[in-house]
Amino acid sequence: MSVDETPNETTEESNRERKTSTGTKRFLKRRRFMATAGVAAGVALAGCSSDDGEADADGNGDDDDDGNGDDDGNGNGDDEELERGTREYLEDAYPGLTVHSADPENGEAAERETYSNYITPAEEHFIRNRYLSPDIDEDDHEIELRLGDETVELSMEEIKHSYPTESVAHTMQCTGNGRSYFEPEVGGNPWAFGAVGNAIWTGTPVSEILEEYGADTSDGMWLMAAGDDVPSEDDQVFARSIPMQKVMEDCILAYQMNGHDLTIEHGHPVRLLVPGWYGCNNIKWLSELEVMDMMMYGDEWERYYNWQQNSYRMEVAGQSAEHHEEIEEFDTQEQMDLAAEGDHPLAYAYDQLVKSVIGYPGEDSSVSPRAADGRVEIVGVAWAGDDAIEQVEVSTDGGESWENAELFTPEMSGVDTNGSWQQFRFLWNPEEDGEYTICSRATDEQGRNQPREVAHQDEELETIEDDAFPWEAGGYANNAYWPHRVEVDVDL
């Protein structure tokens, strides 16, 4: 079993989770207005202080602490408290997800409609955990910050109220999003299109804290970040090494998501937020930070470095990941290209590759053109990590021909949107009834676009070439557009 693998659920459970689609669609329709019109108010509340420096209530409009609108954190609104770690609990608290496992909690967006909106509500935002999420008392929680010979304890009170507050729109994507499209299949959660979401994260710039305590923040330094979810001393600690130049540029200690306190499953009370980079770098339940002159490496870090040095490495063409003390390139695709040329170790999953997802029409749907102009509006989202989206093209004939879509992003006052996706729309005028295959293909500002397909393992590709993404042993970073196509039936 790979380090990222979760045991398969039974066929009966898999079937049952897909039978909830009707209820999920009702939920998604109910959330549309809240997602588009309500988030600006939530973000405004996050930065609003009362006389004693505390946030004005919690931005929830209710008396609970978790933003779910109920007293027990389950979202069921009654006196019955469902047990965490069960499928019933997770499906009740997150009705917009397809649940892959309940203990640990893993689920992705159930419907493509999630990707027709700019903001992803927490109930539709994917969850990727390796252990059951810990229920941490915010008042008692501290982050141990190690600075060479000095160690300080950061309380949530200090993090929230002793430094400036920033809000960042960040497209969080599981590194394994699209894993189910590899052939032959690879181990791990069978993510399809839905292990990605875009939310407004509010918190404290890490740069402010490091500068306050006189940390060495020069280029070439690293920040180790570890979570508090490890069940016992016999288990591996989930931790990542983040290059200091990225830390100082835009990383925050996030304690709010879309204007509400983080949910337990999304990292309450605080997580590291690394805008534009794969989700594995965004450590939840953050409990340790250490300034270092290298990545986690060697016997001293053996319990910590598994998900830095072994997992989340692009193991292509039968190669295995060797451990390294440092690297100088953090663009994942550039790392892949250099590794294929023999000039770089196998890529570490940092900056996200360019990608897009169609939100409407949905899979296997029937659509009718608008009466006003005879057109069908195709909408979706596209992102490219630290790079900007230059162009999105749409094909309605299975990739035979392409036309440019219109890009747009809502104005978000006081929010840094550099790490977020862009929305796109394309007005399509189908000429006759029938079945159509719709694809979207994004291009980043460096001119790199999505390849068509995922190569078979036997092709032994080492990087993206010949319009194909290489077969990768962990199922990571797949950005091919063909697996994400949508089949629709047009009724004129």
Side-chain angles (χ1 to χ4, degrees):
M1 182 179 293
S2 71
V3 294
D4 190 42
E5 185 172 356
T6 299
N8 291 330
E9 303 280 349
T10 65
T11 301
E12 180 180 352
E13 289 174 324
S14 298
N15 290 338
R16 178 158 60 89
E17 66 194 27
R18 284 164 175 78
K19 291 179 181 177
T20 63
S21 60
T22 300
T24 299
K25 288 178 180 177
R26 286 199 298 266
F27 165 78
L28 292 174
K29 290 179 180 178
R30 187 172 73 249
R31 293 293 302 183
R32 294 288 73 96
F33 173 77
M34 295 176 67
T36 56
V39 68
V43 172
L45 284 171
C48 207
S49 298
S50 57
D51 293 340
D52 61 2
E54 293 288 334
D56 184 8
D58 57 9
N60 298 328
D62 53 64
D63 296 326
D64 70 300
D65 295 327
D66 53 28
N68 291 328
D70 57 88
D71 293 330
D72 58 26
N74 296 323
N76 56 18
D78 56 33
D79 295 330
E80 180 183 358
E81 183 170 348
L82 299 176
E83 182 181 355
R84 291 181 56 246
T86 65
R87 182 174 291 274
E88 290 74 19
Y89 166 86
L90 204 60
E91 289 179 346
D92 185 75
Y94 298 93
L97 299 184
T98 292
V99 175
H100 291 310
S101 68
D103 183 3
E105 309 97 329
N106 288 288
E108 65 179 298
E111 302 290 341
R112 281 186 176 270
E113 191 175 358
T114 292
Y115 305 106
S116 61
N117 293 278
Y118 185 70
I119 298 299
T120 307
E123 294 88 347
E124 299 172 43
H125 194 289
F126 83 95
I127 298 170
R128 170 60 177 117
N129 295 336
R130 289 147 197 88
Y131 308 112
L132 184 66
S133 56
D135 192 354
I136 297 172
D137 186 339
E138 179 177 325
D139 293 336
D140 297 332
H141 186 66
E142 293 181 328
I143 297 175
E144 182 177 275
L145 172 60
R146 299 189 287 270
L147 306 158
D149 296 332
E150 181 184 6
T151 298
V152 297
E153 302 289 343
L154 302 172
S155 69
M156 290 304 299
E157 174 73 17
E158 178 181 355
I159 291 169
K160 284 187 171 182
H161 303 299
S162 297
Y163 304 96
T165 299
E166 290 186 1
S167 291
V168 176
H170 166 52
T171 300
M172 185 89 68
Q173 180 183 203
C174 177
T175 321
N177 193 28
R179 173 182 289 144
S180 63
Y181 304 123
F182 282 78
E183 184 183 348
E185 66 181 24
V186 297
N189 288 298
W191 306 115
F193 61 83
V196 60
N198 193 61
I200 306 298
W201 307 87
T202 300
T204 300
V206 181
S207 60
E208 296 282 347
I209 296 174
L210 295 182
E211 289 175 349
E212 173 72 17
Y213 285 100
D216 184 350
T217 59
S218 58
D219 288 356
M221 298 296 288
W222 296 78
L223 185 67
M224 185 283 299
D228 199 22
D229 54 331
V230 59
S232 74
E233 294 183 357
D234 295 327
D235 293 301
Q236 294 286 322
V237 177
F238 189 82
R240 293 285 287 176
S241 293
I242 310 299
M244 189 61 72
Q245 50 264 57
K246 177 64 174 177
V247 171
M248 299 301 289
E249 179 182 3
D250 56 10
C251 292
I252 67 172
L253 301 186
Y255 45 80
Q256 289 193 337
M257 177 183 185
N258 294 339
H260 302 299
D261 290 348
L262 296 176
T263 67
I264 293 175
E265 291 76 22
H266 288 114
H268 182 269
V270 62
R271 72 184 299 172
L272 179 66
L273 200 284
V274 188
W277 287 20
Y278 283 108
C280 60
N281 301 288
N282 296 255
I283 303 296
K284 289 179 277 194
W285 317 288
L286 188 66
S287 61
E288 299 178 61
L289 294 171
E290 181 165 344
V291 175
M292 302 171 59
D293 60 3
M294 65 178 183
M295 292 193 285
M296 292 176 288
Y297 179 87
D299 294 342
E300 177 185 358
W301 292 98
E302 185 174 4
R303 190 166 170 246
Y304 283 71
Y305 67 46
N306 182 53
W307 284 286
Q308 175 68 31
Q309 297 286 7
N310 299 327
S311 190
Y312 300 114
R313 301 286 301 279
M314 302 299 294
E315 299 185 21
V316 297
Q319 303 174 47
S320 59
E322 296 180 351
H323 296 186
H324 294 267
E325 294 186 18
E326 60 182 2
I327 58 173
E328 297 181 356
E329 178 60 60
F330 311 112
D331 182 295
T332 304
Q333 184 166 341
E334 182 64 23
Q335 290 185 69
M336 293 169 64
D337 292 343
L338 290 173
E341 297 170 2
D343 296 328
H344 194 280
L346 291 179
Y348 292 77
Y350 281 133
D351 187 16
Q352 296 182 67
L353 275 63
V354 63
K355 196 169 184 178
S356 63
V357 175
I358 291 173
Y360 180 84
E363 184 67 30
D364 297 324
S365 61
S366 295
V367 297
S368 297
R370 302 182 300 198
D373 59 9
R375 296 183 177 184
V376 174
E377 184 178 39
I378 299 170
V379 297
V381 293
W383 65 97
D386 282 341
D387 296 308
I389 291 293
E390 184 71 25
Q391 174 182 267
V392 174
E393 302 163 280
V394 171
S395 173
T396 58
D397 56 12
E400 293 296 322
S401 62
W402 298 88
E403 295 185 69
N404 286 340
E406 173 192 358
L407 297 174
F408 65 100
T409 300
E411 292 187 9
M412 303 293 293
S413 177
V415 177
D416 182 352
T417 60
N418 288 330
S420 76
W421 62 33
Q422 284 189 274
Q423 294 177 276
F424 66 85
R425 66 163 63 93
F426 176 75
L427 295 180
W428 171 36
N429 187 12
E431 297 181 354
E432 58 184 23
D433 292 346
E435 296 180 355
Y436 293 83
T437 300
I438 304 174
C439 310
S440 62
R441 180 176 66 182
T443 302
D444 69 17
E445 62 183 333
Q446 298 191 51
R448 304 177 297 195
N449 57 28
Q450 295 177 252
R452 177 180 174 85
E453 59 191 359
V454 180
H456 192 278
Q457 181 182 18
D458 294 342
E459 296 183 42
E460 297 186 347
L461 291 187
E462 297 184 52
T463 190
I464 299 173
E465 58 182 325
D466 299 328
D467 214 16
F469 186 88
W471 187 92
E472 198 280 317
Y476 297 140
N478 174 17
N479 72 333
Y481 68 78
W482 183 248
H484 292 88
R485 66 191 183 277
V486 180
E487 308 288 346
V488 299
D489 182 64
V490 174
D491 183 7
L492 295 178

